[in-house]
Amino acid sequence: SPQNVRQLREAARRDGTEIRALEVSAGSFSELAEHRFDVVTLFQVIEHVARPFELLARLARLQAPGGLLYLECPNDAAAWGRIKNRAHRLLRANAWNSLKFPEHLHGFTRRSIAGVLRAAGYDVVECGDYAYRDGVHQVESEFWWPRLRDGRHPRTPRELLRSVIPVIDRAMSACAHAGSGLYALGRKRGPATCGRLD
């Protein structure tokens, strides 16, 4: 997103790091074939693509061994999601799920995101969950979940709940490792293992 590119440029400028951002047509990797990337990031992308393994395998071909891939997406094993599902069942409402067809085509847990990374040719360096509004993994969630101390007082029970949910989610992430977001960092393996399903 333009917001993520802007934030990356600002962070790189502060650190004295040189970066180059390329905009690529949807689904077209031919424009990138001549490049090799040290770092590839996918923020809230992997759950939207029809063939996540194919996407990661194609990205792996754009990186030399040792290149890093960072993924971030909703966590299908999130405690808040399970709490919400139980409440919806009691109220006989639609259950929550991070799969929101046709928007979200795939859901991931730590195990499944690590598995697809390995299959695409990456060693998993780190994989974990995070809470809404953590300010690191999904910066946009800062805007989605208002804080009570921001001076905006909730006018409805729904607005109050939207301010409290990140607090509950933070506790679930800290105590049960079941926050609503999921992230994984992979390091590209050597060329002999890329793109192979185990």
Side-chain angles (χ1 to χ4, degrees):
S1 74
Q3 175 189 344
N4 286 342
V5 171
R6 189 170 51 253
Q7 288 171 311
L8 178 61
R9 284 194 169 122
E10 289 169 9
R13 191 171 34 257
R14 282 192 305 270
D15 293 342
T17 304
E18 184 181 334
I19 65 159
R20 186 172 45 146
L22 301 173
E23 191 167 326
V24 182
S25 310
S28 173
F29 280 79
S30 58
E31 300 168 42
L32 300 176
E34 71 219 37
H35 300 283
R36 287 294 168 263
F37 297 91
D38 299 321
V39 179
V40 173
T41 60
L42 297 176
F43 291 92
Q44 296 284 309
V45 171
I46 195 80
E47 70 275 16
H48 296 277
V49 298
R51 295 181 181 91
F53 166 73
E54 286 181 23
L55 172 64
L56 297 185
R58 289 176 125 194
L59 291 173
R61 290 193 286 274
L62 298 174
Q63 293 188 282
L68 297 173
L69 173 67
Y70 176 85
L71 297 172
E72 181 274 327
C73 63
N75 182 6
D76 265 16
W80 172 245
R82 291 193 300 265
I83 291 167
K84 196 171 179 183
N85 273 341
R86 286 197 179 139
H88 281 191
R89 278 195 216 60
L90 288 171
L91 299 171
R92 301 198 187 288
N94 290 331
W96 175 88
N97 196 322
S98 76
L99 292 177
K100 297 185 277 187
F101 187 81
E103 182 186 351
H104 289 186
L105 304 177
H106 297 280
F108 293 94
T109 62
R110 285 183 194 211
R111 184 176 177 183
S112 63
I113 201 76
V116 76
L117 268 172
R118 283 189 207 98
Y122 292 89
D123 290 323
V124 179
V125 175
E126 188 174 332
C127 185
D129 68 285
Y130 66 89
Y132 287 134
R133 211 173 58 207
D134 81 329
V136 174
H137 300 287
Q138 188 187 21
V139 178
E140 300 90 78
S141 71
E142 292 280 337
F143 308 112
W144 301 338
W145 304 97
R147 296 175 194 268
L148 289 173
R149 69 174 185 245
D150 287 344
R152 291 181 291 164
H153 298 289
R155 293 182 297 254
T156 66
R158 179 179 166 82
E159 288 178 1
L160 178 61
L161 186 60
R162 288 187 63 77
S163 295
V164 173
I165 287 170
V167 176
I168 297 167
D169 200 37
R170 191 172 301 116
M172 293 296 116
S173 180
C175 300
H177 302 291
S180 291
L182 185 65
Y183 71 93
L185 178 66
R187 184 180 307 279
K188 167 89 178 293
R189 290 194 303 266
T193 58
C194 284
R196 195 176 74 204
L197 279 170
D198 294 330

